[in-house]
Amino acid sequence: MLGGSRFPTVVCMTGMDTSGAHDADLKKELSATLHARRELGDDYESALVDSFLEKVDQRIDGTVERRVRRQLAEQQMVVARDSRGPKSTDTFGERFGFAIVSLVLAIPLSAIGGGVSGLPGLLVTWAGIVGVNAFQAARSAAWLFGRHKRSGQDSDWEG
């Protein structure tokens, strides 16, 4: 027994630290149960112990329920945050718009590149235009280049 007492402590019986307010209530309950046991005798010991253990079970159930609720809320927040994440740029309108802007800008860029450097300048200009469009295509259509988009997130429940 701990502390020189004839009766075990709350920490010894329940494994809970008695530093919190809830544990102080549990300690009072244990003291009241032990006092009632001394007054009523051995005949009521089983009923008193069962009553106290039921209160401990309720305390543990409440703690577990709060933890599960908190973890569920955190997971829901993560899912909600992920669903509001950046939207896919792989829409037809955006790809079409990028192609139109690219072609419109290609006209003055070709004139400048061809006018300043002739054929080599024109080839460099069009190589840049093709490079920018290829990069955009690779970014928006990853499946073309063997990179697959993840269909779901890994979870602790999956093997």
Side-chain angles (χ1 to χ4, degrees):
M1 308 284 164
L2 299 175
S5 172
R6 190 176 117 198
F7 299 106
T9 65
V10 174
V11 174
C12 179
M13 288 183 63
T14 64
M16 291 190 252
D17 185 15
T18 59
S19 60
H22 295 298
D23 293 331
D25 293 339
L26 194 59
K27 188 175 184 179
K28 288 178 187 176
E29 289 289 334
L30 178 61
S31 296
T33 301
L34 293 175
H35 181 72
R37 192 247 179 230
R38 276 184 252 141
E39 288 184 3
L40 298 174
D42 292 339
D43 297 338
Y44 293 97
E45 182 175 355
S46 177
L48 291 170
V49 169
D50 288 343
S51 173
F52 178 73
L53 290 178
E54 186 174 323
K55 292 174 185 173
V56 171
D57 282 343
Q58 290 173 354
R59 176 72 48 83
I60 291 170
D61 289 344
T63 302
V64 169
E65 185 178 334
R66 280 191 303 274
R67 287 181 183 169
V68 167
R69 227 183 289 134
R70 183 177 58 233
Q71 288 177 349
L72 183 61
E74 288 172 0
Q75 288 176 352
Q76 288 173 344
M77 287 176 58
V78 167
V79 168
R81 198 175 304 130
D82 288 345
S83 69
R84 290 185 315 204
K87 295 182 180 177
S88 173
T89 59
D90 194 21
T91 63
F92 176 75
E94 290 177 3
R95 288 182 299 193
F96 186 71
F98 190 82
I100 294 296
V101 169
S102 176
L103 288 174
V104 167
L105 291 177
I107 296 169
L109 289 174
S110 296
I112 294 169
V116 172
S117 300
L119 184 61
L122 187 62
L123 292 176
V124 168
T125 301
W126 274 97
I129 293 168
V130 169
V132 167
N133 281 289
F135 178 78
Q136 174 65 16
R139 192 174 71 82
S140 65
W143 58 271
L144 287 174
F145 298 96
R147 292 182 309 232
H148 299 287
K149 293 182 181 179
R150 288 176 59 175
S151 60
Q153 291 189 358
D154 295 336
S155 73
D156 295 335
W157 299 102
E158 294 175 355

